[in-house]
């Protein structure tokens, strides 16, 4: 078996010389294939480059017909080369032609070659092309040779990334590295943002690939590994994170990988073959990323992500940079791209420069999504591999309504979105004109439109939208974005600040709604089979009255001399509400006894989110000052559909008879008892649903800030009496569980109501 003259180290050194030569791109590539063929003792060496249209094109060859260069093409998946591109894995065969995927391209004249070794050109897990060597004989390529060709491929991938080969590709396609990518994800926060990628945790771009001194590089690698290991050990041993389940688990996984012999060996081998320490980490990481992008098992994917994180730490250590982006250096029109991100991290960025947020993880009820909505930043979550597909500074568009992302968009796509953004801005202007118009229907029904909020950053929306107050202040958000449990005085100062920001407008504070999907990272998690039905919200409040008492006291103190409205989440029985009321009463007495100024008026309400309360309406309406329907949870429990589970979350329509009847019952009983009934779930903010709610008799809706304009525009054109009649008839005569949506839509259309 022929052995490589000089081995990979010599090859890398020669490659570096060729890279530095002042020649054109094609000449350089031609020299490189000759060099590789000679070094690998192969008759053929070819480079196929992935074009922007996903087709692989022969860019250079030694050994095959030169005429085939820039003529021979294949799709990803087609032939052996296409297969390597599709799987992102090397392929070594002693007889290529007997392989079922072999696809014969007569113009290349390759029929005389038998042995075949191909490796993908990978960068950050993306396949940019394929590098192939072929031999006439039926030879077997050794592990070392495969490894050496992969190392060489890395240098070629960097050449591609530098943009040098762009000019050799057809103008209309370019090379894949810069191709436009359209990704679908999950809509998290409405709005359209156009801008440039800012990676929250920027990848280290390894510039120095080829080692001057292999021994010194090996030592750098070992030192960096030892340092990273020590940091992980230290983090694990440090008390403050030691008990928080998930966090600890991730660190334990890190520790396991940091000692993984296979991983370490591959990096050491890459250095021995002539790469710098950072290039070796990158080389192994790139393979790992390629696997990650193709892995469908969520558990294995998560582990590959962990390994990727660890490699990132190592890279940062080697090139000596901090892990987090310099927040001060945001360009204008920044679109943040991250795998995941905590809400506190988002708040650290300069809001005035942020145009959007794209995440690989993060569902609609994640904390980051809540904060993005509060800040009015268009956001899309669950965008697969976006941190690998997008490069720092790339043009990018976030469509937070459709849940889509366009990376490096074509000019026509960009123009279409710019138009969309302009139209939205125009519509917003029109809504702004409605700001001071009273929310009264055509037939004179007044509807109170309020905001849902949870952070101080939400409060400026009051003035912007002309909302009549805050109908739901989710107090748990302050707890969810904090590093540790907010103290009583921190709570009080937030509530005081909310009062100050709301001016004369009323605010309804909801007590802590934690548990279920709302997890406090610093609170010991309770293992539950079914957290949505578990120990949460008012249940925790009543079982651990210390927490609820402290919050109620903070609210009472913050109100000092002003009216206060408090409501309790997830109430299932009248008795729970009675106990919560008693707790508030005790706190009020306590403060009064200590000479504190009390609220000028105190109203206590329940959230109706659990169906059991539908069957205690008469009683609860006499006990409570108001009832606020949390339709998000009421839908979840009425239809037994997990609101977080995309498979089922949209399976049933809130505009179907069961939900509408439940809501009608609430409106009627509340009116009979002279108890105010409001809606504060998402349905109140959708114009068609809001129209139905008004028809059912609701006169107060609380919604996200962006919904106020559209809902007001709808009700200004509405005859409340007419829609009430339609719904009454439908629910009486047809209520087989079908949705009333089409009929309501037709009604809106015929009456010129914008929904
Ligand atoms: C609801 O359940 O409808 C609600 C308003 O509460 P949250 O969405 O915060 O659970
Ligand atoms: Mg709820």
């Amino acid at each position: 078996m022929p052995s490589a003259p000089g081995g990979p180290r010599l090859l890398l050194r020669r490659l570096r010389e060729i890279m530095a030569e002042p020649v054109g791109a094609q000449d350089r590539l031609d020299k490189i294939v000759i060099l590789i063929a000679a070094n690998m003792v192969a008759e053929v060496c070819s480079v196929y480059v992935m074009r922007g249209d996903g087709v692989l094109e022969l860019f250079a060859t030694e050994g095959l017909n030169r005429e085939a260069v820039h003529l021979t093409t294949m799709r990803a998946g087609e032939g052996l080369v296409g297969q390597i591109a599709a799987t992102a894995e090397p392929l070594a065969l002693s007889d290529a032609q007997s392989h079922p995927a072999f696809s014969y391209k007569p113009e290349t004249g390759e029929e005389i070659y038998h042995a075949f070794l191909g490796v993908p050109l990978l960068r950050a897990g993306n396949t940019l092309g394929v590098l192939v060597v072929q031999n006439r004989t039926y030879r077997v390529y050794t592990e070392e040779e495969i490894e050496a060709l992969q190392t060489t491929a890395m240098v070629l991938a960097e050449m591609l990334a530098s943009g040098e080969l762009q000019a050799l590709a057809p103008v209309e396609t370019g090379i894949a590295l810069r191709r436009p990518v359209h990704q679908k994800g999950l809509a998290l926060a409405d709005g359209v943002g156009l801008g440039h990628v800012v990676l929250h945790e920027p990848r280290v771009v390894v510039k120095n690939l080829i080692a001057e001194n292999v021994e010194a590089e090996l030592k750098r690698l070992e030192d960096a590994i030892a340092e990273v290991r020590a940091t992980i050990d230290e983090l694990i041993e440090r008390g403050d994170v030691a008990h928080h389940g998930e966090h600890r688990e991730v660190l334990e996984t890190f520790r396991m990988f940091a000692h993984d012999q296979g991983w370490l060996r591959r990096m050491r081998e890459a250095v021995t073959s002539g790469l710098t320490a950072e290039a070796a980490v990158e080389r192994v990481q790139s393979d790992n990323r390629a696997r990650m992008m193709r892995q469908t098992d969520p558990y294995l994917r998560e582990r590959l992500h962990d390994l990727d994180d660890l490699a990132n730490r190592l890279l940062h250590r080697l090139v000596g940079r901090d892990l987090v982006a310099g927040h001060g250096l945001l360009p204008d029109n920044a679109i943040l791209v991250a795998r995941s991100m905590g809400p506190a991290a988002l708040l650290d960025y300069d809001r005035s420069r942020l145009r959007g947020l794209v995440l690989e993880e993060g569902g609609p009820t994640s904390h980051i999504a809540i904060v993005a909505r509060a800040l009015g930043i268009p956001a899309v979550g669950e965008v697969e591999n976006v941190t690998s597909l997008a490069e720092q500074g790339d043009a990018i568009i976030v469509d937070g309504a459709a849940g889509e992302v366009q990376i490096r968009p074509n000019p026509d796509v960009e123009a279409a979105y710019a138009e969309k953004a302009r139209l939205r801005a125009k519509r917003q202007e029109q809504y702004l004109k409605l700001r001071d118009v009273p929310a009264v229907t055509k037939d004179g029904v007044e509807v109170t439109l309020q905001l849902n909020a949870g952070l101080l950053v939400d409060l400026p929306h009051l003035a912007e939208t002309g909302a009549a107050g805050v109908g739901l202040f989710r107090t748990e958000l302050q707890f969810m974005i904090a590093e540790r449990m907010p103290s009583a005085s921190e709570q009080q100062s937030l509530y005081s600040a909310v009062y100050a920001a709301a001016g004369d407008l009323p605010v309804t504070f909801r007590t802590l709604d934690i548990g279920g999907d709302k997890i406090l990272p610093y609170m010991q998690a309770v293992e539950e089979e079914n957290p949505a039905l578990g120990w949460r919200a008012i249940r925790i409040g009543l079982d651990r009255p210390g927490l609820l008492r402290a919050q109620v006291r903070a609210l009472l103190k913050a109100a000092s001399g002003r009216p206060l409205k408090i409501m309790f989440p997830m109430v299932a029985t009248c008795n729970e509400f009675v106990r919560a009321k008693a707790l508030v009463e005790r706190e009020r007495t306590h403060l009064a006894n200590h000479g504190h100024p009390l609220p000028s008026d105190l109203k206590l309400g329940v959230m109706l989110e659990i169906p059991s309360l539908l069957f205690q309406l008469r009683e609860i309406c006499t006990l409570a000052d108001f009832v606020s329907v949390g339709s998000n949870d009421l839908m979840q429990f009425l239809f037994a559909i997990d609101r977080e589970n995309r498979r089922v979350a949209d399976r049933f329509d809130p505009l179907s008879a069961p939900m509408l009847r439940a809501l009608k019952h609430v409106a009627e009983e509340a009116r009979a008892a002279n108890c105010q009934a409001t809606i504060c779930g998402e349905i109140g903010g959708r114009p068609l649903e809001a129209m139905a709610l008004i028809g059912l008799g609701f006169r107060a809706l609380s919604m996200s800030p962006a919904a106020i304009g559209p809902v007001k525009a709808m009700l200004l054109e509405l005859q409340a009496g007419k829609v009430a009649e339609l719904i009454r008839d439908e629910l009486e005569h047809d209520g087989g569980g079908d949705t009333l949506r089409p009929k309501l839509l037709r009604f809106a259309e015929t009456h010129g109501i914008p929904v």
Side-chain angles (χ1 to χ4, degrees):
M1 185 190 308
S3 69
R9 282 196 209 178
L10 179 69
L11 173 62
L12 285 179
R13 206 166 325 130
R14 286 284 301 123
L15 267 177
R16 183 166 54 186
E17 286 160 16
I18 295 180
M19 290 296 190
E21 282 178 23
V23 292
Q26 187 67 57
D27 286 346
R28 194 183 322 280
L29 208 51
D30 291 344
K31 286 184 172 203
I32 289 174
V33 287
I34 293 171
L35 172 68
I36 298 172
N39 186 275
M40 305 276 301
V41 199
E43 282 88 31
V44 174
C45 173
S46 313
V47 175
Y48 297 83
V49 172
M50 176 87 84
R51 299 192 321 215
D53 56 0
V55 167
L56 289 151
E57 178 177 313
L58 180 65
F59 261 48
T61 186
E62 162 69 1
L64 298 185
N65 280 339
R66 285 285 166 96
E67 287 73 44
V69 170
H70 296 301
L71 281 180
T72 293
T73 57
M74 57 207 71
R75 282 170 283 106
E78 180 191 354
L80 300 175
V81 171
Q83 184 174 315
I84 293 164
T87 56
E89 288 191 7
L91 184 63
L93 303 166
S94 56
D95 183 17
Q97 292 172 37
S98 64
H99 191 280
F102 181 79
S103 139
Y104 177 53
K105 300 273 176 184
E107 71 275 14
T108 61
E110 66 181 321
E111 61 276 14
I112 50 174
Y113 303 106
H114 292 282
F116 173 104
L117 168 61
V119 298
L121 302 177
L122 291 176
R123 189 157 185 278
N126 295 302
T127 305
L128 306 184
V130 176
L131 173 63
V132 174
V133 291
Q134 288 171 277
N135 283 78
R136 249 180 240 273
T137 53
Y138 295 86
R139 58 157 301 194
V140 175
Y141 297 100
T142 64
E143 280 298 321
E144 289 72 32
E145 283 170 317
I146 300 172
E147 193 66 36
L149 199 64
Q150 282 181 289
T151 301
T152 315
M154 183 177 174
V155 178
L156 272 175
E158 287 309 313
M159 184 180 171
L160 270 165
S162 74
E164 189 178 350
L165 298 182
Q166 179 78 4
L168 304 181
V171 203
E172 57 283 6
T173 63
I175 60 172
L177 181 69
R178 313 302 311 156
R179 78 169 182 273
V181 177
H182 172 212
Q183 289 278 97
K184 275 196 91 58
L186 213 58
L188 298 186
D190 203 3
V192 174
L194 286 86
H196 294 275
V197 171
V198 171
L199 290 170
H200 173 53
E201 286 176 352
R203 274 195 303 279
V204 174
V205 180
V206 177
K207 292 249 176 344
N208 191 10
L209 296 175
I210 300 165
E212 298 273 353
N213 176 338
V214 170
E215 293 314 312
E217 292 302 322
L218 266 178
K219 172 142 182 12
R220 283 183 67 227
L221 179 69
E222 297 301 341
D223 288 350
I225 293 169
E227 276 179 56
V228 167
R229 275 183 188 158
T231 331
I232 296 170
D233 288 346
E234 197 186 308
L235 279 174
I236 291 179
E237 260 112 61
R238 240 178 29 206
D240 52 349
V241 295
H243 301 298
H244 303 313
E246 204 175 314
H247 201 90
R248 191 187 169 95
E249 234 170 69
V250 170
L251 286 173
E252 290 285 6
T253 313
F254 273 8
R255 173 144 71 181
M256 193 185 80
F257 281 133
H259 291 267
D260 182 284
Q261 290 310 316
W263 185 58
L264 298 172
R265 180 181 45 77
R266 286 168 64 212
M267 288 193 297
R268 287 182 190 125
E269 278 171 4
V271 173
T272 316
S273 73
L275 291 178
T276 59
E278 54 268 36
V281 178
E282 167 91 10
R283 151 93 177 75
V284 175
Q285 187 183 13
S286 208
D287 288 354
N288 168 44
R289 270 188 179 247
R291 274 193 291 154
M292 187 166 80
M293 289 168 81
R294 285 161 182 80
Q295 181 57 254
T296 49
D297 179 311
Y299 176 79
L300 290 178
R301 231 179 121 111
E302 201 45 47
R303 296 288 75 80
L304 288 167
H305 266 310
D306 291 338
L307 185 53
D308 194 47
D309 276 350
L310 188 62
N312 256 331
R313 277 166 190 261
L314 210 46
L315 276 180
H316 279 90
R317 184 77 53 178
L318 282 163
V319 295
R321 270 205 296 141
D322 210 73
L323 266 178
V324 179
H327 289 172
L329 305 173
L330 273 193
D332 280 339
N333 303 333
I335 306 248
L336 272 183
V337 176
R339 220 179 87 209
S340 65
M341 193 193 252
L346 180 60
L347 289 166
D348 276 348
Y349 283 97
D350 175 359
R351 162 75 192 93
S352 67
R353 287 166 183 269
L354 282 185
R355 297 288 171 274
L357 172 68
V358 184
L359 300 170
E360 286 185 12
E361 296 168 3
T365 52
S366 62
H367 312 158
I368 183 84
I370 294 166
V371 173
R373 277 197 291 272
L375 293 170
I377 300 171
V380 178
E382 294 197 11
V383 182
E384 274 189 24
N385 300 317
V386 68
T387 56
S388 300
L389 295 168
E391 301 257 339
Q392 196 84 319
D394 274 352
I396 185 169
I397 298 170
V398 181
D399 185 341
E404 290 178 21
V405 176
Q406 305 275 355
I407 306 167
R408 298 178 290 272
N410 290 324
D412 47 343
V413 171
E414 189 162 340
Y417 273 97
E419 183 56 23
K420 196 168 171 177
R422 252 194 309 280
L423 273 177
R424 281 183 69 93
K426 212 163 138 200
R427 229 179 299 137
Q428 292 305 324
E429 248 172 59
Q430 284 161 352
Y431 293 143
L432 204 62
K433 287 199 191 116
L434 297 182
R435 206 186 76 126
D436 300 316
V437 177
V440 180
T441 64
K442 272 190 143 170
D443 50 349
V445 173
E446 269 182 57
V447 184
T448 307
L449 301 184
Q450 293 191 308
L451 283 189
N452 290 347
L455 298 170
L456 261 189
V457 290
D458 287 313
L459 275 294
H461 294 307
L462 276 174
E464 287 158 22
T465 57
V470 177
L472 163 64
F473 190 88
R474 294 177 159 111
T475 60
E476 63 277 6
L477 295 200
Q478 180 195 19
F479 286 70
M480 281 158 63
I481 66 170
E483 301 280 322
R484 51 176 179 78
M485 184 79 80
S487 66
S489 67
E490 281 167 341
Q491 293 179 50
Q492 188 186 331
S493 54
L494 171 74
Y495 306 145
S496 299
V498 171
Y499 267 114
D504 288 333
L505 297 173
V507 179
T508 304
F509 291 94
R510 171 172 78 184
T511 60
L512 271 187
D513 185 9
I514 51 174
D517 58 311
K518 295 163 182 162
I519 295 150
L520 304 185
Y522 41 82
M523 219 166 113
Q524 177 113 43
V526 185
E527 283 289 325
E528 291 184 304
E529 277 283 312
N530 224 330
L533 306 179
W535 196 55
R536 55 182 302 194
I538 189 73
R539 301 170 185 181
I540 300 181
L542 293 174
D543 293 359
R544 291 267 173 84
L547 202 59
L548 184 57
R549 221 183 287 139
Q551 183 176 35
V552 167
R553 194 175 295 182
L555 285 166
L556 289 164
K557 282 184 176 173
S560 124
R562 300 180 36 148
L564 173 62
K565 287 178 91 173
I566 301 179
M567 63 182 176
F568 302 97
M570 291 285 158
V571 171
T573 67
C574 291
N575 180 263
E576 285 175 335
F577 182 64
V578 170
R579 288 170 62 198
K581 252 176 99 165
L583 183 146
V584 176
E585 198 41 52
R586 268 198 303 280
E587 285 312 306
R588 186 156 68 152
T589 313
H590 175 83
L591 288 184
N593 291 343
H594 288 77
H596 283 284
L598 294 176
S600 59
D601 180 38
L602 178 61
K603 295 256 184 290
L604 300 179
V606 282
M607 286 195 72
L608 198 158
E609 306 181 276
I610 302 183
S612 64
L613 217 52
L614 289 170
F615 304 96
Q616 305 163 74
L617 272 172
R618 194 149 299 167
E619 297 81 355
I620 202 81
C621 286
T622 57
L623 288 167
D625 295 312
F626 62 96
V627 174
S628 190
V629 180
S631 55
N632 307 338
D633 279 310
L634 186 58
M635 267 306 279
Q636 156 160 277
F637 297 123
L638 199 59
F639 286 94
I641 34 156
D642 180 351
R643 64 191 264 191
E644 299 282 313
N645 182 340
R646 274 203 278 168
R647 273 220 187 109
V648 295
D650 296 323
R651 200 177 175 91
F652 303 107
D653 192 344
L655 291 178
S656 59
M659 182 69 167
L660 291 179
R661 281 189 179 145
L663 293 170
K664 186 161 175 273
H665 184 44
V666 177
E668 286 170 357
E669 290 290 340
R671 177 164 328 141
N674 205 16
C675 170
Q676 197 200 20
T678 70
I679 303 272
C680 66
E682 301 300 324
I683 60 168
R686 296 188 211 123
L688 189 73
E689 280 83 341
M691 181 181 89
L693 292 167
I694 294 170
L696 289 169
F698 288 93
R699 296 295 174 256
L701 309 174
S702 193
M703 60 198 72
S704 64
I708 299 264
V711 168
K712 197 191 265 187
M714 174 281 294
L715 72 84
L716 290 176
E717 300 301 324
L718 176 69
Q719 301 262 13
K722 280 200 175 154
V723 74
E725 211 175 293
L726 169 76
I727 295 178
R728 196 182 323 116
D729 284 356
E730 286 298 327
L731 290 185
E732 262 170 34
H733 298 123
D734 171 23
D738 255 6
T739 172
L740 270 63
R741 188 172 292 275
K743 288 193 171 131
L744 288 163
L745 269 172
R746 209 169 319 125
F747 173 87
E749 221 167 85
T750 34
H751 292 83
I753 301 164
V755 285

